């Protein structure tokens, strides 16, 4: 499968299989509080080189802030960065 076909498939998966985001939440803009945003991109590089996947990036139509939306709840990120991201003694 060519890279173009892979990206097309990922886009189709994102648009048609919303169940991927069952644990995700939609957030309003963290800068201005607006709930109105547009999808800037639906997929992109998610890991090492040449690893692509669903990466839902939105842009606020009021102030232009770019952010990940939808995303997991903040509790997930707090736990991840506290436990799994880096060991404090190796910083």
């Amino acid at each position: 499968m060519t890279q173009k076909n892979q990206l097309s498939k990922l886009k189709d998966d994102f648009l048609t299989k919303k169940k991927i985001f069952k644990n995700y939440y939609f957030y309003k803009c963290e800068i201005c509080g607006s709930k109105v945003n547009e999808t800037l991109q639906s997929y992109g590089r998610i890991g090492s080189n040449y690893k692509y996947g669903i990466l839902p990036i939105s842009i606020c139509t009021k102030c232009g802030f770019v952010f990940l939306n939808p995303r997991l709840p903040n509790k997930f990120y707090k736990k991840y960065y506290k436990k799994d991201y880096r060991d404090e003694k190796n910083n």
Side-chain angles (χ1 to χ4, degrees), residues 21 24-28 30 41 54-59 65-72 77:
F21 295 113
Y24 287 63
Y25 296 89
F26 286 89
Y27 289 88
K28 60 185 178 182
E30 295 178 39
Q41 73 181 49
I54 294 173
L55 186 66
I57 305 293
S58 294
I59 185 168
F65 181 63
V66 177
F67 58 105
L68 184 65
N69 198 30
R71 64 179 185 257
L72 291 166
Y77 296 105

Side-chain angles (χ1 to χ4, degrees), residues 34-46:
S34 174
K35 293 181 181 180
V36 182
N37 58 68
E38 293 182 10
T39 301
L40 188 61
Q41 73 181 49
S42 300
Y43 50 92
R45 195 173 80 179
I46 60 169

Side-chain angles (χ1 to χ4, degrees), residues 12 16 22 35 42 65 71 75 78 80 88 90:
D12 291 343
T16 60
K22 73 177 187 174
K35 293 181 181 180
S42 300
F65 181 63
R71 64 179 185 257
K75 186 188 330 183
K78 287 178 183 178
Y80 171 78
E88 286 185 25
N90 291 331

